[in-house]
C-alpha cells in the first residue's frame, strides 16, 4: 500500500507529545510490513536539517490559498535508520518559527498555517509523483486534507482512488476558526459555510469536525476512548458529530517501539536490567536517580518514589497532584520526581515545591529524553491522574520497566492498566475513577500496601513487564482499517 501521512509532529524531528512518537512508530512498522510510507511535515525552523540529513530538492510547490497561489520548497530526508522518506515543506512565513503550535499560546494564524500545510500535502504528492492509496491525517492540524481529498482533488487521477483516514489523538484541540478566514484560505468559500454544514460547529469553523465528517474512516488511539467520546462527558462538544459517524469510528490502541523503550538495552539508564534482574536493576536506577537530584545518601532511599513525565497541562490532572502533594510530602509518605513543561502556573508550583522540599520534591522543568527514560526506569510508581487520556504512552513504558502505574481509570488507561488483585496475584497497577484528589490518594495508599511486600511486589512488577503493547500490532490494525476505507470507496 502507498500511505501518505499528514502530521504536524514526527519524532525525532518535531515533538510536542505522543503524537510524534506514534506517527514515527507506525511508519517504521509499515515499512517492515512492506508498505511504502511517506510523511509530510512542515519545515519548522527548529528542525536541525543538517544534523538529521535533510536536503533541499529543486521542487517548488504551488499551493492555492484563497484566490492566489503561495509557494513552498520541498526538502527530503529519512526517518533515522529506515528507508521511509520524510518531506519537509519550507515556507518561512508559516513555519519559520520557534514552536509547532505557538509559544506559549497558539499562533493567531494557525488557521492559515495548517490549511496551507494541508493543501501542500497534495501538492507534495503531485511534485514527487506519488499515488497514495491512503491519506492518513492526524489531529486538527491535518484535518483539512480530508476535505480537500473529497473536493478539489477528487477528480485528479492521482487521488481519485485514494481513501482518507483521520486519527484523533487529542479531541480537546479542535482548530476552531473564524469562518471568514478559514473558508477563504481553504478556497471553499462562505457558500459552504451554513448551519449544519460539515465545516460549521456553533457558528465557527471546527477543523476537528471537518476531519471527522470528510474522512472515510475515523480512528482514535484506544478502544475505550473511542466509546467515551460518543457521549458528552468526554466528547468535548463533538459527541453528536462522533456518534453520527459512529459506524466508521474505530479505536486502535497505540503501541510502543520496544527497540527504544526496553530496560534490557536502554543506554539512557544508569544500568540496564530485565525481568530476572529486576530487583537489583531497579534499585541501582532508583539510587542513581536520587543521587543525580542531590538527595543526600544518609536520607532514606527506601521511601517509595513516585514519578511522572508529562506535559504540564490541565489534561494531565496536575490539579489533583497540586491539591494534595505538599501534605503528603510533609507526612513523609513518599518522594516525588517530575519531569515536565507547559503551563506556567504548574511550572511555578513545582519550582516552589522543589525550593521548599529539595530532597523530597525532585523537579526538572524542561524537556529531556534521557531523563524521561531514567525517571520511568528509576521510579517505583508512575502517577497519571489525567482528566481525559485518549491513550497515553508513559504508562505502557512504565509497565515494561517494572514501574507500577497509578492511573485514573478512564481513556486509554482502561485498555492498558489492570487493577492489582492480591488474591489472584493478577493485575498491573492501581486505579481510581472519580476526578478527585482523595480518590487518587486512596489509590496511592492501596499501592503502598504492596510496596516491597512479597510476593506482591515482585508479582505486580513482573505482570507489567510481561505485557506486550508492541507497535507492530497497532500498525497491522491500521492496515485493516485502511482496507475497510478502500472498501468503502469501492476500491476493493
Ligand atoms: P501526550 O501526547 O498527551 O503528551 P503521551 O503519554 O501519549 O501523552 O505521550 C507523551 C510523550 O512525551 C511520551 O513519550 C513522554 O515520555 C514524552 N514527554 C512528555 N513530557 C516530556 C518531557 N518534559 N521530557 C521528555 N519527554 C516528555
Ligand atoms: C495525544 C493524547 C495521548 C496519546 C497521544 C498519542 O497527545 O493526549 O493520550 O497517547 O496523543 O496518540
Amino acid at each position: 500500500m502507498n500511505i501518505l501521512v499528514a502530521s504536524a509532529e514526527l519524532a525525532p524531528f518535531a515533538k510536542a507529545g505522543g503524537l510524534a512518537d506514534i506517527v514515527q512508530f507506525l511508519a517504521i512498522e509499515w515499512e517492515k510490513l512492506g508498505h511504502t510510507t511517506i510523511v509530510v511535515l512542515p519545515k519548522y525552523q527548529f528542525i536541525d536539517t543538517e544534523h538529521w540529513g535533510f536536503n533541499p530538492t529543486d521542487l517548488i510547490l504551488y499551493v492555492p490559498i484563497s484566490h492566489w497561489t503561495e509557494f513552498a520548497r520541498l526538502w527530503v530526508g529519512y526517518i533515522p535508520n529506515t528507508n521511509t522518506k520524510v518531506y519537509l515543506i519550507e515556507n518561512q512565513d508559516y513555519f519559520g518559527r520557534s514552536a509547532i503550535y505557538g509559544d506559549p499560546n497558539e499562533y493567531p494564524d494557525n488557521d492559515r498555517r495548517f490549511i496551507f500545510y494541508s493543501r501542500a500535502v497534495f501538492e507534495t504528492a503531485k511534485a514527487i509523483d506519488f499515488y497514495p492509496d491512503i491519506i492518513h491525517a492526524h489531529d486538527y492540524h491535518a484535518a483539512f486534507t480530508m476535505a480537500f481529498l473529497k473536493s478539489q482533488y477528487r477528480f485528479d487521477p492521482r487521488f481519485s482512488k485514494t481513501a482518507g483516514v483521520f486519527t484523533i489523538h487529542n479531541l480537546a484541540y479542535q482548530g476552531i476558526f473564524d469562518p471568514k478566514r478559514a473558508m477563504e484560505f481553504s478556497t471553499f468559500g462562505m457558500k459552504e459555510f451554513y448551519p449544519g454544514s460539515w465545516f460549521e460547529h456553533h457558528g465557527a469553523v471546527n477543523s476537528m469536525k471537518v476531519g471527522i465528517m470528510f474522512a472515510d474512516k475515523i480512528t482514535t488511539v484506544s478502544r475505550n476512548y473511542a466509546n467515551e467520546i460518543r457521549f458528552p462527558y468526554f466528547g468535548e462538544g463533538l459527541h453528536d458529530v462522533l456518534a453520527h459517524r459512529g459506524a466508521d469510528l474505530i479505536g486502535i490502541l497505540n503501541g510502543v517501539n520496544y527497540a527504544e523503550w526496553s530496560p534490557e538495552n536502554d543506554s539512557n539508564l544508569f544500568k540496564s536490567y530485565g525481568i530476572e534482574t529486576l530487583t537489583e536493576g531497579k534499585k541501582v536506577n532508583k539510587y542513581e536517580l536520587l543521587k543525580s537530584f542531590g538527595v543526600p545518601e544518609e536520607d532514606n532511599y527506601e521511601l517509595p518514589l513516585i514519578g511522572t513525565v508529562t506535559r504540564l497541562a490541565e489534561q494531565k490532572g496536575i490539579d489533583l497532584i497540586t491539591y494534595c502533594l505538599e501534605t503528603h510530602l510533609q507526612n513523609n509518605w513518599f518522594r516525588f520526581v517530575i519531569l515536565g513543561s507547559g503551563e506556567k502556573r504548574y511550572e511555578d508550583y513545582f519550582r516552589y515545591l522543589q525550593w521548599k522540599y529539595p530532597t523530597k520534591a525532585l523537579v526538572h522543568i524542561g524537556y529531556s529524553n534521557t531523563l524521561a527514560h531514567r525517571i520511568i526506569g528509576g521510579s517505583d510508581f508512575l502517577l497519571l491522574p489525567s482528566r481525559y487520556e485518549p491513550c497515553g504512552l508513559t504508562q505502557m513504558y512504565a509497565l515494561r520497566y517494572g514501574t507500577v502505574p497509578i492511573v485514573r481509570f478512564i481513556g486509554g488507561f482502561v485498555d492498558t492498566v489492570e487493577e492489582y488483585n492480591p488474591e489472584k496475584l493478577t493485575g498491573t497497577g492501581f486505579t481510581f475513577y472519580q476526578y478527585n484528589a482523595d480518590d487518587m490518594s486512596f489509590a496511592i495508599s492501596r499501592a503502598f500496601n504492596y510496596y516491597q511486600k512479597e510476593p506482591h511486589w515482585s508479582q505486580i512488577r513482573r505482570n507489567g513487564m510481561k505485557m506486550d503493547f508492541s507497535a507492530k500490532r497497532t500498525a497491522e490494525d491500521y492496515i485493516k482499517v485502511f482496507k475497510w476505507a478502500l472498501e468503502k470507496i469501492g476500491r476493493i
Side-chain angles (χ1 to χ4, degrees), residues 106 139-141 170-176 206-208 236 311 313-315 343 388:
E106 291 239 332
D139 270 355
Y140 98 73
H141 330 101
N170 202 327
L171 196 58
Y173 300 89
Q174 298 181 357
I176 297 172
N206 185 307
S207 314
M208 197 55 113
E236 305 286 348
R311 287 184 290 116
E314 207 180 298
Q315 171 193 349
E343 286 180 36
Y388 68 93

Side-chain angles (χ1 to χ4, degrees), residues 5 7 9-15 17-31 37 39 52 78-82 84 86 138 169 255-257 259-261 397 471 475:
V5 178
S7 166
E9 296 184 31
L10 172 65
F13 315 118
K15 169 165 167 172
L19 168 63
D21 293 334
I22 290 304
V23 174
Q24 189 214 51
F25 299 168
L26 287 176
I28 293 173
E29 295 300 328
W30 288 333
E31 181 178 308
T37 308
V39 187
W52 298 115
Y78 293 89
I79 294 180
N81 309 318
T82 72
T84 300
V86 180
H138 296 269
H169 295 263
V256 176
N257 178 5
E260 191 190 336
W261 288 97
Y397 301 154

Side-chain angles (χ1 to χ4, degrees), residues 9 15-22 25 169-170 221 254 260-261 309-312 315-316 339-341 364-373 376 384 388-397 413:
E9 296 184 31
K15 169 165 167 172
L19 168 63
D21 293 334
I22 290 304
F25 299 168
H169 295 263
N170 202 327
V221 290
N254 279 338
E260 191 190 336
W261 288 97
V309 177
T310 180
R311 287 184 290 116
L312 294 175
Q315 171 193 349
K316 298 297 176 181
L339 164 65
S341 64
H364 185 104
I365 301 296
Y367 189 89
S368 161
N369 191 41
T370 302
L371 189 55
H373 284 251
I376 288 171
L384 300 161
Y388 68 93
E389 197 62 73
C391 180
L393 296 176
T394 49
Q395 82 279 14
M396 294 196 263
Y397 301 154
F413 296 144

